[in-house]
Amino acid sequence: EAQQILANTLEDFRQRSFDGLVVGPYQLDPVMGQLGVVYKPRAQLRALAGAEVDRALELEVEVEWSFRSRDYRLRAGTALWRVQQ
């Protein structure tokens, strides 16, 4: 489930208009999974090293959850580029 939430969040940001993206943290709504597990996704947008902030951003997404008294975290990232028409 966490992997699907991570993939869906990455895709959600890829589908957004580049002009609507703002550098900074994004606190996203928790997702209730099977067995009552609550997944807590977060996203962070930063300037991509070596690129102008109005042309490329770095996206990092993290999903945290607890199950059977253990904490888990899954993380992935990608670069988002402005597409010139």
Side-chain angles (χ1 to χ4, degrees), residues 2-33:
Q3 192 167 13
Q4 188 63 47
I5 293 165
L6 187 75
N8 289 348
T9 304
L10 286 167
E11 187 57 30
D12 174 60
F13 275 87
R14 283 188 195 110
Q15 296 298 320
R16 294 181 188 195
S17 166
F18 192 90
D19 292 328
L21 297 174
V22 178
V23 171
Y26 288 75
Q27 190 66 38
L28 307 171
D29 291 334
V31 178
M32 180 68 74

Side-chain angles (χ1 to χ4, degrees), residues 27-66:
Q27 190 66 38
L28 307 171
D29 291 334
V31 178
M32 180 68 74
Q34 296 178 0
L35 305 175
V37 175
V38 178
Y39 296 94
K40 300 171 193 160
R42 287 194 299 257
Q44 175 79 36
L45 277 174
R46 299 181 189 90
L48 183 65
E52 296 175 24
V53 72
D54 66 336
R55 301 222 1 117
L57 296 171
E58 176 184 8
L59 171 64
E60 181 178 271
V61 175
E62 182 176 275
V63 179
E64 294 180 335
W65 71 99
S66 296

